[in-house]
Each structure stands twice: as structure tokens, then as C-alpha cells.
Amino acid sequence: MAFYAALLIPLFPLVAGTLIGLFGKQLGQQSYKIGVPAILLAFFSAVWVLVTVSQEGPIRIALYQATGSRDYMQLTLYIDRLSAVMMVLITGVSSIVHLYSVRYMQGERGYARFYSLLGLITAVLLCLVTSANLLMLFVFWQLLTWLLYLLLVYNYEHPPAVQFGFKTLLVHRLGDVAFLGGILLAYLTYGTLDFPDLFARAAANPATVPLWPGGFEIGAATAITLLLFGGGMSKSAQFPLHVWLPDTMDTPTPVSALMHAGIVNAAGFLINRLAPLYGLAPTTLHVVFVIGALTAILGAAMMLTQSDIKKMLGFSTMGQMGYMTMECGLGAFALSIFHLIAHGIFKATLFLYAGSAIHDARRDPKFPSAQAAEEVNTFPRLPWVAGLVMTLILPLVILLVAHGLLQIPLRETEAQGAIILLFFAWVTSSQAIISLYRLRAVASWQVAWVMVLTLFAVVFTYLWAVEAFMLFLYPAPGEAARYFQAAAWPTWMFDLLVLAVTVFVIAGWGLIYADIRGQHVPLAGWVNTLRPRLYMWLWNRLYLDELYARVADTVVRVGRRVNMSMPEWLP
Amino acid sequence: MTDTGMNLWVQIVALPFLGAAFSGVLWRRPPAVKVGALVVAAGELLLLEVGKPGDSVQSFPMLLTTVAAVVTLLGQAPRQKQALSAMVLTLVCLGLGLGALGGEGPMSRLCFAALLAVVGLAILRFGEGPRPAIWGAAAVAGLGILGLSAGVATSGTMAGLFMLVACAVVLPLVPVHGAFMGTIQHLPGTFPAFLVVLLPVLGLKEAVAGLAEMPPAVTQGLVTLALLGAVYGSLTALVEFSVTGVLARSALVHAAIVWWSLATTGAGPQSAGRYLGAAALALSGLLLAVNALRARYGPDALDNLGGLARPMPRFGVALALLIMAAMGLPLFGLFSGFMTMVLSASSAFWWSTVLVLLVWFMASLYYTLLMQRLLFGSARSDLHYWDLGRAEMAALTLVLVLLALSGIVPATLPEIGPGGKMSAQSVLHQEVAP
């Protein structure tokens, strides 16, 4: 039965999307009556399949298989625990978006088109996460690019929507080219695109490929994973391919919710799906970490300089995706899935609530009601000290574990895993505690205790809940530990990283202190000169959009020049 | 060729000519001419199916060409200016094209040359716009005829080279791409939508035979010309203003990719044929859609239309799907053809593969820009809009179905050109791992 349920999961939204697309004119504002039941059925089926797969093992459904020289052409669904978890997430978020849109989109001229595209994109996402080979994954990867573009240009009479939709398509197609390059290299090197065969052959054959004929050679697994990651970078808005994400706010709110909660997670899923291959490419994992870290830092920094709330949310997603990619880069593959689930639910809620708030504001001009700002003139010493101490406990623990002076009793992932999990627990709890302090800075033991509890909750979640999830996704003995080992950095480098983040955290608390006390922070002259410049650079998104526009203009200019230089008789 | 084969070949060539001659009787009743032409094309299909000339390798290009004729005749609005000429020319070229595709030796070459002559004369007769462009296109068609003649007169490598020149005229390759681009931009009605299938298919058939005997220097030269054409076509398509101009340049890019594949894989035409068939069909569909606009608003208004998605929703959906197919997205034959082609590319030419991937990326840009320009934004208020009619919709649906079939079950379709037989099994089975 689970076999049929697994088959029906993508089929429900696919059929619904197609039916609404074909009979949209007749269905009109009633289109949700097909879309909503279909996605709910898909969701319940996904939950059932998750339970079954957890107990009985993966399900493989071969739908089409070419033989002979083109045996790579196959349509096979492969549902393991990772796919099943992703299916539940996708159908869950899509169900919420479907239900929310019933009233939110009511009265829109493109109501049926919206539901049709929503059903189709859900089906494509479901097929993507159940792909059993690289070619099938690429097929749905590209369909996702196209359907996302069509959703983004939903308001196609509105020029900015079309302009930014095209920008998104351009960036995603660039990623598609890199992805295809990875596929070609994988096929030329290993002669297969089927996941199990590919992983086995890559592990057995440490082939190398030259960067140019007769030139420097790099590992084939490294080259392939780097190219595939290029595809993931565009979908998950990684620096410098992030430029599309903050501009996609002309689309209806439910689309933003689906995009920020589901579609941008593609890189995290991709790396997890290809984990055995990425585990063979430590260099790629280091690159992934650096790209992720840059994206996280720049996303958060650019968010701080934005005045448009929706753009801020866009940059916030970019930062979170960077964070998720960093986790992958450190070998914490399952943690990235845990993160994307949490972020997906959180962002969907945020966007949908934003949509409701905008609707309310349109109805009631006095909304939101002005609240009396509570001025705090005194410096709340207790929570400040508590916050500082709480955020500095973890780096100490991390360094102790890293140097073998402390043992964390984890079941599978050993010391390396514990360090990575603690590292992310530290960053997350620091963020939470500083946010808490900024929101509720009153001198009370209650606030201090909440900070302590936050720290413990975060550490508990990361160490034990995430570890349990890790074992759920990667049940083979030693598998998760192997990925941590592959991504491991030299100890001195890791110490340096921890120290750098510690300095950063202390500086943060110091600035908060100075800000509240109204004290002047003595900074060097060059720092004072740099600050406004840095602000302008971040506010202008590092001028990357301008740079890309200039490149595009150059290509067009070259095209025109070539066209003009040809004689009239030679078109 | 046996007597039976010869008889069948004569019937296949003669039937469209009879249809064209019969059209003269019905000249004052364009709808009747359309029905008559459709009956002839359908009869041709029946003849091909019943007679089965040659093996599947030989008959599939003929079948594809005849289906293209049916589709383009179906999509032709009978009251459009020069519609009668377009339909008659389609029938004439169908006869000559099938003669060239199904014939052997001098008969095939004769039909090929006659086809080039008809195309060249048609460009001269119907071509509007700058005269140098018209004369240039016709001259290139003439060059193709010269190539064919010289190919017959000489032997060995020289003959092969001359034949390749003729092939490069119909399967456009820089610098002899002018005639093909002229057919797309200057010929009337849906006739270009037919030629965009017939000419490249014919070119591929002849090129495959010629390339096998070429020395490596020639294939290297072909790779260079193909890449030059692909980059040139892509760059100029990005900046081209005319709608048909964009399609002509994109056709040049598709053909260049086919030449690249043929030259780099040696004798590996099956993947190139799959790609070419799908690309030709997609372009044919796009030209049909564009002609539907030209039939309504005239050729001058074509380049100033926009915002059609709202007033012409059926047209909008069809165009979006055709663009999707033409830019090589999955579910359509072009994607599976492209994948087969690049996966069988020789690693010795890896740098050229990188260039082909970039060209593939650029295709998604100019095709999408074209779609945005026609469909999105606000519609002009000074025009009265009416959506696609039944016949036009049927023609476009047929093209889309063929493209989807070749994309969804690619391995079950026969090949254009010699190649290994494929088998496919559609199975539904379950494996539960412990």
C-alpha cells in the first residue's frame, strides 16, 4: 500500500494542477476545491509513507527505463528517509499555502492560474526530492526554474514583476548550466548517473580531471561536486548568486512563503542527497563552508541596512540559507535538513502573517495601533551580564572538547560531530540571547533565567535532538561521523574560527553596552571613515547588481556591434 | 532501387505536384484549396505508412516532413494574404523534399537542387525588405545548387566537400546561412514553418553521408564554423528586434549545435538527429504561432505587439509551451536530444562543449525575452483581439504533442540517420530494501 501512496503523493498535485490549468476558465474562483483536497491527500500520504519508510526501508518505483547506450534515461522514484522527510515538509508547507490562498487570492483574475501553478510546482518539488538519478533530478531542477519564473511573473502586466522574474530565471539558468556541467563530467568519468552506482564507482575510482589539457589536475569527485554545488548556489541564493532573492517581492505573498520556505532549500537537499559523493570531496566541503559563511554574514549585514520590510525578509532568508550551507560545509548534513525544516516553517508563518497584516492595514488605516514606547533610561546590568556569560560559556566548552579535555557522550558522531553541533548551538543561542536582550532589556532575574533556559534549550536541541535526527537520516554505522571527518578543518584553524567568533560576540555585547549607556566608543580614525563606506556598500548590496547589469550591457553591446558590422546581404 | 521502390518513389513525389496543380482549379476558393492540400498531405502520410519506403531510418525523416506539411497547412489561415501561394509552395516543396529524402543518387540530387531553386525563386518573388538581403539569400540558395552540381561532377573528398556546402545551405552553417534565414524571414504564410523542418532534415541526411569520408582537418574546420555560428547566432538573437529575425537566428544556433555534434562525434548522427527533429518542430510551432499574429495584424504590426496573454489566453499558453520546448527545457524532445548529444560528446572537445553549454544558456534568455515581449505587459488598446481559431489551435496542439512524446518517451522513437536500435520498457515495479 505504501508503494501506491508514494506514487500518489506527486500525482495528486500534478493532476490537480493540470485539471485546473485545463479547466481554469470554467472553475474560476472555485479552483481551490480541486487544489486543496489534492494537496491535503498528498500530505497525509506523505506522512504515512514517512512512517512506513522509517520502519521498512526505502521504496523504489521504476516508471520508465531505456536500455542500451541510453540507459541513463530513466524515471525512477526513490523514497528513503531523506526523501520522505522532504515530502512531508513540501506537502505540509504547500498545504498551508493552498489553504491560506483560498481567501487571500479571492477575487484575483489569475486565481485559477495561481492554483494550477501551485499544484504543478508542488508536484515538481516532490519529484525532485524523490529522484533516483542525477538526470531525473536535473529534469525537475529545471522545471522548478521555469515554474518559479512563471509564478514570479504572476502579475505579468506589472513591469517590475516581469523584470525581476527574468532576473531570477537568468540566475537560475546560470546555475542550471553549472549543474549540467557536473552531470556531464560525472557521466564521462564514471559512466553512470544512477545514485548508488555513481557513489560506488566514485568511491572505488579516485579519478582526476585536468583543469585544462595537460594542466593542473583535481579530483573528479571534487570537480563534479563543485559544479553541482554551482547549481545549488543559484537556487539557494548563495553569494554571489543571491541577487535574485531580495527582488522577488512583487509576487503574491503565498508565493513568497512557498519560495522562502521550500524552493530555496534546494542546495541543502542536493548536498544531502549526494552526501556520499560530497563525503569524497573535502575541498568542495571547505568551499561550501566559505561560500555559506560569506552568504550568512553578507545576508545578515545587508538585511540591517534595508528599509523595506519585505527586502529585509529576503536578505534574512539569504542569511539563513548561508547558515544552512555552512552546516553542510562542516559535514553536518542532517543538521542542515533540520535547519531547513525549522526555517521553512518559521518563514512560511512570517510571510503569511505579513500578508494578513498588510490586508488588515488596508482595511483599517489606524492599524497597527500606536503603542506607547517604553523608554528605558537605566542600564539593565543583570541581563547584560547574564547574556555575556551565557554566550561565552559555549566557546570554552567547544575548545575543551576540541582539545580532548572534555568528552560529550554522543552515540555516533564522536568528538568531531559534537564540536560542530556545539559550534552551531553557540551561534544560534548567542543570536537568541542578544535578540532577547534587545527585546526585553529590564533588570530582572526572570530575564536572566530565560537566557539560561534558552542556552540549555538550544544546546539540548542541537546535541541530542539533532543527533537523533542525524541517526534517523543516516542510520548506517559511522556514516555521519565519516562526513564530519571529511569536512574536518585543522585544529588550529578551528580554534582561530572560534576565537574570531568569540571576539565578534564580545564586541557585540560591548557595543550594546556603549549604546545603552550613551558612551562613545573610541575607534581609530580609519574605522570611523570605513563605517559609512561599508554601510553604503551594504546598502547598495555590494554593487553586485550594477556589476551584473554592466556585464549584461557589454554582452548586448558586443551583440549589436557584431550585428552592425555584418554586410546587409549576410544576415 | 527496385521497380516497386521506384514506383512508390514516383507516386510519393507526384502526389503533391498533382495537388498543387489541382489547386489552380480552386484558386478563387482559398478554403477549398486548404482542404485539398490537407487531403493531399494526409494521402502522402497514408502512402508512406502503407508503402514503407526503405527502412525506418529512411522513412522517419519523410514521415516527419509530411507531418510538418500537414501541421503547417492546417495552421494556415486561408484568407491571409499570399496564403494560396504558401499552400501551393508547401505542396511543391513536399514533393521535392520527399523525392530528395527517399530517392537515391542523381534523382535525389535533382530533387534537392530543384528544391533549392524553388526556395531561391520564392525568396526573390516574395521577399520584402532590403534588396541586398533578398539577393544575398537567393544567391546562397544558388550556391547550394552549384555545390550539388560540382559534387556530382567531381569525386572523392572534393565531391564530399561540395556536398557539404550544399548541406550547409539547408542545415545552416556560417557563412552560407543566408538562404535559410531568408526562408524564415521573407517567405509567405506558414510556408517557412514547413521549410524549417524539411531543409535541415534533408541537410542532415546528406551531411551524415558526406562527413564519414572527410579528413580530420575538415571536421576541425566544421567544429570551428559551428561554434562561430552558435555564438554569432546567440549574440545577435539577443539584440534582434524583429520577431522572425530572432527565430531565424535561433534556428542558426540549433543548426550550429547539430553541426558541432556531427563533427565532434564522428559518425554519431542519431543523437544529433533526435535534437534536430525536435528543434525543427519547436521552431515550426513558433513560426506557426507568429504567423497567426501576422495573419491578424499584418507583418508590420508584428514587431509592435505586446501584452497578448490577457486578450489571447490560448495563444499565450501555446506560445509559452513552445518557448519552453525551444529553449530546451525538459518534457520536450529538444531536451532529451540535447542531453543525448552532450552526453555522447567526445571529451577531446571539452572546450567546445563548454561553449555549447553557454550557447544553451543564452537560448533561454532570448527565447524568454521574446515571450515576455509578446505576452507580458499591457495590450495595445487600438487593436481588436481574437484568440486562435480551431484549426490554428489544432496545428499547435499537434506540434506540442509530438514534442512532448519525443521528450517523455525519447527512446521509443526512431532515429534520423543510421544508428543503434533502442528498446524501452515501461515497467512499474516495487523494490523494498531491507
Side-chain angles (χ1 to χ4, degrees):
Chain A
M1 281 300 279
F3 165 75
Y4 293 107
L7 197 61
L8 286 173
I9 296 168
L11 221 51
F12 280 130
L14 178 68
V15 170
T18 311
L19 281 178
I20 298 170
L22 287 174
F23 304 105
K25 205 173 173 183
Q26 292 78 7
L27 289 165
Q29 305 287 315
Q30 305 296 312
S31 302
Y32 72 90
K33 288 185 178 170
I34 293 181
V36 171
I39 194 65
L40 287 176
L41 282 170
F43 172 67
F44 291 121
S45 307
V47 173
W48 185 22
V49 167
L50 174 63
V51 174
T52 310
V53 166
S54 310
Q55 292 164 352
E56 295 175 20
I59 299 171
R60 193 179 173 90
I61 306 168
L63 298 167
Y64 172 81
Q65 167 79 64
T67 54
S69 60
R70 265 168 269 164
D71 58 351
Y72 51 79
M73 283 189 180
Q74 47 176 283
L75 185 64
T76 304
L77 303 183
Y78 177 71
I79 301 128
D80 60 354
R81 289 177 176 186
L82 174 65
S83 303
V85 166
M86 292 304 291
M87 283 168 105
V88 172
L89 175 71
I90 292 163
T91 50
V93 171
S94 186
S95 297
I96 294 167
V97 171
H98 268 81
L99 286 166
Y100 178 87
S101 308
V102 171
R103 285 189 61 202
Y104 186 84
M105 298 294 288
Q106 199 70 245
E108 290 270 341
R109 277 205 288 190
Y111 193 81
R113 180 162 48 93
F114 171 79
Y115 266 102
S116 171
L117 286 172
L118 207 56
L120 293 177
I121 205 165
T122 307
V124 163
L125 277 166
L126 289 167
C127 291
L128 190 147
V129 298
T130 52
S131 298
N133 68 75
L134 216 43
L135 184 63
M136 187 178 155
L137 184 67
F138 183 54
V139 163
F140 292 105
W141 191 268
Q142 288 187 91
L143 287 177
L144 182 60
T145 300
W146 185 246
L147 287 172
L148 177 63
Y149 163 73
L150 291 181
L151 266 176
L152 290 176
V153 296
Y154 172 80
N155 295 317
Y156 55 72
E157 284 172 324
H158 187 51
V162 177
Q163 185 194 340
F164 293 129
F166 183 70
K167 186 178 176 182
T168 304
L169 180 83
L170 198 154
V171 175
H172 283 220
R173 288 301 277 170
L174 207 58
D176 291 352
V177 171
F179 199 118
L180 179 54
I183 291 179
L184 287 184
L185 196 55
Y187 191 73
L188 288 175
T189 312
Y190 302 118
T192 181
L193 295 176
D194 200 36
F195 289 141
D197 289 346
L198 181 66
F199 300 153
R201 289 185 199 182
N205 174 20
T208 57
V209 287
L211 284 179
W212 61 91
F216 182 71
E217 299 225 335
I218 59 167
T222 304
I224 292 164
T225 46
L226 274 175
L227 284 167
L228 294 175
F229 178 63
M233 279 172 69
S234 65
K235 285 270 186 298
S236 288
Q238 296 298 299
F239 179 82
L241 298 181
H242 64 279
V243 288
W244 63 275
L245 187 65
D247 288 329
T248 50
M249 300 302 169
D250 278 298
T251 188
T253 301
V255 177
S256 298
L258 185 70
M259 193 166 67
H260 288 251
I263 295 165
V264 291
N265 297 322
F269 168 76
L270 181 73
I271 294 176
N272 270 274
R273 174 46 77 223
L274 302 174
L277 200 58
Y278 275 88
L280 297 171
T283 312
T284 304
L285 289 175
H286 297 332
V287 172
V288 168
F289 174 77
V290 172
I291 296 279
L294 268 175
T295 307
I297 293 166
L298 291 174
M302 285 192 264
M303 185 185 86
L304 292 174
T305 61
Q306 299 301 311
S307 52
D308 181 325
I309 185 82
K310 276 192 144 186
K311 287 214 163 92
M312 286 175 83
L313 284 177
F315 280 112
S316 149
T317 300
M318 177 188 161
Q320 290 296 324
M321 288 304 106
Y323 200 62
M324 177 194 77
T325 307
M326 266 172 78
E327 289 161 354
C328 290
L330 288 173
F333 295 158
L335 176 60
S336 70
I337 296 291
F338 191 84
H339 187 152
L340 70 85
I341 292 170
H343 173 254
I345 294 166
F346 166 69
K347 246 334 141 42
T349 316
L350 208 60
F351 267 102
L352 297 180
Y353 180 74
S356 296
I358 291 166
H359 261 213
D360 289 346
R362 281 179 188 154
R363 274 202 302 269
D364 179 7
K366 287 180 182 170
F367 182 87
S369 58
Q371 287 176 341
E374 193 181 327
E375 289 290 329
V376 183
N377 294 321
T378 52
F379 171 60
R381 189 182 302 275
L382 181 66
W384 187 87
V385 173
L388 182 64
V389 172
M390 286 301 115
T391 49
L392 290 181
I393 286 176
L394 278 179
L396 185 68
V397 177
I398 291 169
L399 290 176
L400 288 174
V401 176
H403 291 274
L405 301 170
L406 185 72
Q407 296 286 327
I408 301 275
L410 292 183
R411 279 180 289 172
E412 275 289 333
T413 51
E414 298 161 2
Q416 189 68 34
I419 294 165
I420 302 302
L421 295 182
L422 276 172
F423 178 77
F424 284 106
W426 173 40
V427 178
T428 308
S429 59
S430 300
Q431 207 179 359
I433 289 169
I434 291 178
S435 303
L436 188 67
Y437 181 83
R438 305 275 296 176
L439 285 172
R440 197 76 190 143
V442 288
S444 107
W445 278 103
Q446 207 179 352
V447 174
W449 275 114
V450 171
M451 285 177 174
V452 175
L453 283 176
T454 304
L455 180 77
F456 276 101
V458 172
V459 170
F460 173 80
T461 307
Y462 270 82
L463 278 187
W464 284 280
V466 171
E467 216 232 354
F469 186 67
M470 202 173 281
L471 288 174
F472 175 75
L473 283 190
Y474 296 103
E479 191 182 5
R482 201 167 61 244
Y483 300 142
F484 281 119
Q485 287 299 331
W489 287 41
T491 312
W492 66 268
M493 231 161 144
F494 191 76
D495 289 350
L496 205 67
L497 178 72
V498 172
L499 284 173
V501 180
T502 308
V503 169
F504 191 74
V505 170
I506 292 171
W509 283 110
L511 280 174
I512 288 173
Y513 177 84
D515 186 37
I516 291 178
R517 297 296 293 261
Q519 290 179 348
H520 175 70
V521 182
L523 295 172
W526 65 270
V527 177
N528 283 326
T529 319
L530 188 68
R531 274 174 65 185
R533 281 189 190 167
L534 191 65
Y535 187 88
M536 285 309 289
W537 272 76
L538 291 170
W539 191 66
N540 285 300
R541 309 171 184 193
L542 305 177
Y543 297 99
L544 270 178
D545 296 79
E546 281 81 357
L547 178 72
Y548 292 152
R550 198 165 284 186
V551 171
D553 281 349
T554 307
V555 172
V556 168
R557 224 177 16 248
V558 170
R560 283 214 182 98
R561 197 168 289 174
V562 170
N563 212 12
M564 298 292 281
S565 64
M566 300 308 277
E568 215 169 354
W569 51 268
L570 188 66
Chain B
M1 197 182 275
T2 60
D3 283 349
T4 323
M6 186 68 186
N7 283 339
L8 182 62
W9 183 80
V10 170
Q11 285 172 35
I12 286 170
V13 175
L15 185 61
F17 277 99
L18 285 175
F22 189 64
S23 299
V25 182
L26 303 167
W27 198 253
R28 289 183 185 282
R29 294 164 56 201
V33 173
K34 180 178 172 176
V35 173
L38 269 171
V39 169
V40 168
E44 196 80 335
L45 263 181
L46 199 69
L47 206 58
L48 286 172
E49 196 50 42
V50 175
K52 295 207 182 302
D55 54 7
S56 68
V57 166
Q58 200 177 5
S59 65
F60 184 66
M62 296 170 78
L63 213 59
L64 183 68
T65 306
T66 314
V67 168
V70 171
V71 166
T72 48
L73 288 169
L74 188 63
Q76 176 65 60
R79 302 283 178 198
Q80 187 184 358
K81 190 183 167 193
Q82 296 170 339
L84 287 168
S85 309
M87 288 188 281
V88 171
L89 279 169
T90 302
L91 285 179
V92 169
C93 287
L94 176 65
L96 292 173
L98 293 181
L101 283 168
E104 286 171 7
M107 287 183 304
S108 169
R109 302 276 164 91
L110 195 65
C111 287
F112 193 167
L115 178 66
L116 280 173
V118 171
V119 168
L121 289 172
I123 290 173
L124 284 177
R125 165 72 182 80
F126 296 102
E128 287 175 6
R131 293 320 285 173
I134 304 291
W135 280 101
V140 173
L143 187 72
I145 299 172
L146 277 178
L148 280 170
S149 313
V152 173
T154 53
S155 61
T157 309
M158 281 310 286
L161 269 174
F162 284 124
M163 270 310 292
L164 279 183
V165 172
C167 293
V169 171
V170 287
L171 178 61
L173 181 72
V174 287
V176 288
H177 57 285
F180 189 85
M181 304 215 3
T183 60
I184 292 182
Q185 289 179 284
H186 302 302
L187 294 183
T190 57
F191 184 42
F194 171 64
L195 285 183
V196 87
V197 176
L198 168 65
L199 295 182
V201 166
L202 181 59
L204 178 70
K205 182 210 161 203
E206 298 292 342
V208 168
L211 266 173
E213 296 156 12
M214 286 297 120
V218 174
T219 50
Q220 274 286 359
L222 280 176
V223 171
T224 310
L225 284 178
L227 293 176
L228 208 66
V231 173
Y232 168 70
S234 302
L235 275 175
T236 50
L238 269 178
V239 295
E240 175 67 51
F241 177 70
S242 142
V243 173
T244 50
V246 175
L247 295 180
R249 287 167 197 286
S250 70
L252 173 63
V253 175
H254 288 305
I257 293 177
V258 171
W259 276 109
W260 164 80
S261 174
L262 288 175
T264 53
T265 57
Q270 62 267 52
S271 51
R274 182 181 298 276
Y275 175 83
L276 181 70
L281 268 179
L283 276 169
S284 179
L286 283 169
L287 285 167
L288 278 175
V290 166
N291 187 62
L293 296 179
R294 203 159 41 183
R296 283 163 175 73
Y297 310 111
D300 297 333
L302 183 62
D303 294 330
N304 297 308
L305 288 171
L308 297 175
R310 182 79 67 204
M312 298 175 70
R314 280 203 296 268
F315 173 82
V317 172
L319 187 76
L321 288 171
L322 284 166
I323 289 283
M324 199 178 154
M327 65 196 256
L329 282 174
L331 297 190
F332 295 104
L334 202 85
F335 171 73
S336 54
F338 185 75
M339 286 307 294
T340 314
M341 214 159 60
V342 289
L343 285 174
S344 58
S346 163
S347 54
F349 291 92
W350 68 271
W351 53 273
S352 64
T353 311
V354 172
L355 214 57
V356 167
L357 292 188
L358 283 176
V359 165
W360 180 68
F361 161 70
M362 284 172 86
S364 48
L365 303 188
Y366 54 74
Y367 275 124
T368 311
L369 284 172
L370 179 70
M371 182 184 83
Q372 288 188 169
R373 183 176 140 189
L374 287 174
L375 298 185
F376 299 162
S378 302
R380 279 168 60 174
S381 54
D382 60 328
L383 291 176
H384 172 69
Y385 295 97
W386 67 100
D387 211 345
L388 294 179
R390 277 185 194 162
E392 292 166 323
M393 202 58 214
L396 290 178
T397 307
L398 200 57
V399 171
L400 284 167
V401 168
L402 287 172
L403 281 167
L405 273 178
S406 60
I408 294 168
V409 282
T412 53
L413 288 182
E415 310 288 0
I416 299 174
K421 295 271 179 234
M422 292 289 300
S423 68
Q425 47 183 343
S426 186
V427 286
L428 195 70
H429 64 86
Q430 174 189 21
E431 292 167 23
V432 177

